[in-house]
Amino acid sequence: MWICMVYNETDTSVDFRLCRDFGLILSILSLIYLLVCFPLGLCYNVLLVVVNLSNKVSMTMPDVYFVNMAIAGLVLNLVAPVELLSSTFTRWHVWEYNDEVYITLLILFNISSLVIMYSTTLLSLDYYIERALPRTYMSSVYNTKHVCGFIWGGAVLTSFSSLLFYVCNHISTKMVECSKMQNKEAADSIMMFIGYVVPALAVLYAFVLILRIRKESTPLDQDSARLDPSIHRLLLASVCVQFVLWTPYYMTLLVHTVVVAPGYISSARYLPTYYFLRCVSKLLAFSSSFAMPLMYRQMNKNFSNKLQRLLRRLHCRDQSCPRERSTVQQVVT
């Protein structure tokens, strides 16, 4: 186990047992995630994407954002087994991966985290716009699709710093520019600020505006063009769940970049605890890939109707249904 390898013969048996216990707990948690959470997340994310894309006409602005988060969740589903089956997370590891695979996983993980956090943030802001100005179409499905495209592009550009870190570690260290960029703490601090601080402030601002609207009741509140009231509960639940699951991971980045001085943590006595908490926080981040589609499935009233229409459509693909035949007869007559 990678936590225990740093101990030498002079370390106490208590610290070594603590390290072994942490390793066993982490191995069990990883296997539970792979056996339960991973298949659920994979199935429900695919179901969310397929059901909504097969009913594009009935998609609303929140649906587009949740589809965007589901696609990011599928990327996390691809990353999770590779990491959780390595020696970093489990004693019974299946494989070891090299630096190239590591940096690829890091970039995919960072892109997914940015897409999820900013989709949640913009969902909050667009929901406020929809409640305040329901007929302006500023938060329409058409605009939301373009916004989601910009989210993915921005996430890829932001994660490019990790790629630069990797490239500079594989070329000559005599280059001044690259020797300055060989600092993972700098890349983590960028991710901490862009991926957590900015979305958190934006969501807080959006919630303040939404609460202000709810207190100031107007005749527009009865407007039939407004979103379903259940969307408000789904929005609140999704934002809370996302930040609960992602905050521990970003807090470990904060500890690594601010609190812990370079070279200090390797000799600290709390090394096993730090790495254990870091791995658990990443497990929680992976958990967002199945928590969000499950919550969407339970709290979105229209999802069941869309799913039923999709199943009827698949059932009637090879044979015309009675309803379709009656419709055709009416058209002919």
Side-chain angles (χ1 to χ4, degrees), residues 136-171:
T136 59
Y137 300 100
M138 294 178 63
S139 58
S140 64
V141 174
Y142 177 80
N143 292 334
T144 304
K145 291 178 180 178
H146 290 283
V147 169
C148 290
F150 281 108
I151 291 177
W152 282 95
V156 171
L157 290 176
T158 304
S159 301
F160 191 69
S161 59
S162 300
L163 181 60
L164 290 178
F165 168 75
Y166 168 73
V167 171
C168 284
N169 274 313
H170 285 73
I171 64 177

Side-chain angles (χ1 to χ4, degrees), residues 203-218:
V203 167
L204 181 62
Y205 178 68
F207 273 9
V208 170
L209 295 177
I210 292 172
L211 291 175
R212 183 181 301 176
I213 287 182
R214 288 174 65 86
K215 291 179 181 179
E216 299 173 358
S217 179
T218 66

Side-chain angles (χ1 to χ4, degrees), residues 52-63:
N52 279 286
L53 293 184
S54 63
N55 295 273
K56 292 183 180 180
V57 178
S58 60
M59 283 182 66
T60 62
M61 174 268 296
D63 292 332

Side-chain angles (χ1 to χ4, degrees), residues 111-141:
I111 291 174
S112 301
S113 66
L114 289 172
V115 170
I116 289 173
M117 297 302 287
Y118 276 93
S119 295
T120 306
T121 302
L122 294 176
L123 172 61
S124 306
L125 293 171
D126 278 357
Y127 178 73
Y128 160 72
I129 295 174
E130 181 69 21
R131 286 187 60 87
L133 303 169
R135 295 188 180 278
T136 59
Y137 300 100
M138 294 178 63
S139 58
S140 64
V141 174

Side-chain angles (χ1 to χ4, degrees), residues 15-73:
D15 291 335
F16 185 77
R17 285 199 301 270
L18 180 64
C19 170
R20 296 292 297 271
D21 292 340
F22 281 157
L24 180 60
I25 295 172
L26 191 60
S27 299
I28 294 174
L29 292 176
S30 300
L31 292 179
I32 291 175
Y33 178 89
L34 289 173
L35 293 175
V36 179
C37 302
F38 172 74
L40 282 177
L42 184 62
C43 294
Y44 275 95
N45 277 311
V46 171
L47 189 64
L48 193 156
V49 173
V50 171
V51 169
N52 279 286
L53 293 184
S54 63
N55 295 273
K56 292 183 180 180
V57 178
S58 60
M59 283 182 66
T60 62
M61 174 268 296
D63 292 332
V64 178
Y65 281 119
F66 278 100
V67 168
N68 206 43
M69 286 186 277
I71 296 175

Side-chain angles (χ1 to χ4, degrees), residues 264-295:
Y264 173 72
I265 192 170
S266 61
S267 60
R269 295 181 64 87
Y270 56 80
L271 177 67
T273 304
Y274 170 77
Y275 278 107
F276 173 74
L277 294 177
R278 189 168 183 174
C279 289
V280 171
S281 67
K282 204 161 190 179
L283 268 174
L284 290 175
F286 283 134
S287 300
S288 67
S289 64
F290 83 94
M292 291 305 297
L294 282 176
M295 191 164 50

Side-chain angles (χ1 to χ4, degrees), residues 82-83 95 107 153 220 227 243 300 311:
V82 182
E83 287 206 20
W95 51 62
I107 291 175
L220 287 176
L227 294 174
F243 276 90
N300 192 329
L311 294 177

Side-chain angles (χ1 to χ4, degrees), residues 131 312 322 324:
R131 286 187 60 87
R312 287 196 300 266
E324 291 181 353

